[in-house]
Amino acid sequence: MPRASHHQLRSAFRALLASDRCYHTASVFDPMSARIAADLDFEVGILGGSVASLQVLGAPDFALITLSEFVEQAARIGRVARLPVIADADHGYGNALNVMRTVVELERAGVAALTIEDTLLPAQFGRKSTDLISVEEGVGKIRAALEARIDPELAIIARTHAGVVDSAEAIRRAQAYQAAGADGICLVGVKDFAHLEQIADGLEVPLMLVTYGNPQLRDNARLARLGVRIVVNGHGAYFAAIKATYDCLREQRGIEPGDLSATELTHKYTLPEDYIRWAEQFMDVKE
């Protein structure tokens, strides 16, 4: 894709949402990966919150990265991006007023779209790490995000976790966020097509689906018919980079190639057991 302004990239993303096709995201995490994705003709990229946490902090995805740190990484990508990039803005880094600040900063960084989720983040004392905020608070965040944006082409996508509530609640949340004016609905935790059909029925805005490679949701034509326009399969490119770095450094030290997978390496070097223990010890967080 030739060089384009941020506004033009946002318009290109809007065209994807308005199409009748289903597009798969490239996981981009720095300027080089963004350039590679564009050169390989990916239509859209995504900067994941979990990937940003790994790239910036070397920490697991426990909402530890700050807005400023995330925006700095998004801006590095935005300076060179030749494809639209979606920013996974987690919970908007706080309440509805914080969401407004998040939108302002990410818009200036050059992203084409951002997702705001209704997960209760960061984890609260004595609560489950997958608890959701109330629908009313979620609606307030979406309305605040819409109020804060300057470029009307910037897409505000409401994200909800359909895997931790029953179908009726997932439907209620998706429809409420649509009514609040969200440009799209992002669904996480959808089990299969029957589950997706239940939630999609009655929705008119485009859908974004985070599948993490779920084999039950691999029919692109069927996804497109149900209104799914964007699919996130995960962030394999980043994890492949971790594996390649590990193997290259072992070779430089004269050590035989390792047999740890990218997932095992990520687990080893982000120390998740420490964070889980601290969360249980200091916050009584329930898994």
Side-chain angles (χ1 to χ4, degrees):
M1 177 179 288
R3 187 170 177 82
S5 70
H6 293 155
H7 178 79
Q8 289 170 320
L9 290 174
R10 290 167 188 150
S11 296
F13 181 74
R14 289 277 184 171
L16 300 183
L17 294 183
S19 74
D20 59 0
R21 290 182 53 195
C22 180
Y23 300 89
H24 290 251
T25 59
S27 179
V28 298
F29 45 88
D30 63 6
M32 187 68 77
S33 61
R35 283 177 169 156
I36 292 171
D39 185 60
L40 294 175
D41 293 327
F42 274 89
E43 295 85 0
V44 60
I46 185 167
L47 171 61
S50 59
V51 169
S53 183
L54 291 169
Q55 180 81 347
V56 176
L57 302 177
D61 188 21
F62 289 168
L64 299 173
I65 192 169
T66 65
L67 172 60
S68 60
E69 290 169 331
F70 185 74
V71 168
E72 286 172 2
Q73 198 67 7
R76 293 184 183 103
I77 294 169
R79 279 195 291 267
V80 305
R82 297 194 177 194
L83 80 169
V85 174
I86 305 166
D88 170 10
D90 286 341
H91 63 318
Y93 297 91
N95 61 29
L97 300 185
N98 298 116
V99 167
M100 297 182 79
R101 172 74 187 282
T102 296
V103 171
V104 169
E105 297 297 337
L106 285 174
E107 182 172 341
R108 291 177 61 182
V111 304
L114 57 91
T115 60
I116 300 292
E117 65 184 83
D118 57 6
T119 311
L120 182 61
L121 296 174
Q124 302 293 300
F125 185 93
R127 303 285 295 269
K128 292 182 179 179
S129 59
T130 55
D131 281 347
L132 306 184
I133 61 176
S134 69
V135 174
E136 293 76 15
E137 185 175 358
V139 165
K141 286 189 172 189
I142 298 306
R143 292 176 57 219
L146 295 169
E147 175 70 21
R149 74 178 171 191
I150 297 172
D151 185 350
E153 291 294 274
L154 176 69
I156 305 296
I157 300 174
R159 171 171 161 162
T160 191
H161 201 312
V164 298
V165 294
D166 59 33
S167 294
E169 179 62 13
I171 292 168
R172 184 171 80 98
R173 287 174 178 268
Q175 292 184 349
Y177 301 150
Q178 173 179 263
D183 298 304
I185 303 295
C186 177
L187 299 171
V188 183
V190 174
K191 300 169 186 174
D192 50 33
F193 274 105
H195 192 198
L196 177 60
E197 287 169 355
Q198 285 182 308
I199 301 170
D201 185 36
L203 291 177
E204 298 177 358
V205 296
L207 299 180
M208 176 175 166
L209 201 61
V210 180
T211 68
Y212 295 115
N214 182 350
Q216 301 298 318
L217 295 165
R218 286 185 178 169
D219 186 335
N220 281 348
R222 190 174 179 185
L223 289 172
R225 287 195 297 272
L226 289 171
V228 176
R229 297 293 173 260
I230 307 295
V231 174
V232 182
N233 290 321
H235 302 286
Y238 184 74
F239 294 107
I242 291 175
K243 174 65 172 171
T245 300
Y246 179 75
D247 289 342
C248 181
L249 292 178
R250 285 180 68 96
E251 182 179 354
Q252 288 183 25
R253 295 298 289 176
I255 305 172
E256 291 295 320
D259 59 358
L260 293 178
S261 68
T263 299
E264 291 168 331
L265 288 169
T266 302
H267 188 89
K268 177 178 180 178
Y269 291 114
T270 57
L271 312 177
E273 290 89 355
D274 287 344
Y275 288 97
I276 292 171
R277 185 179 73 254
W278 294 331
E280 293 173 347
Q281 181 178 354
F282 303 127
M283 300 191 302
D284 193 30
V285 169
K286 312 296 183 183
E287 286 299 316

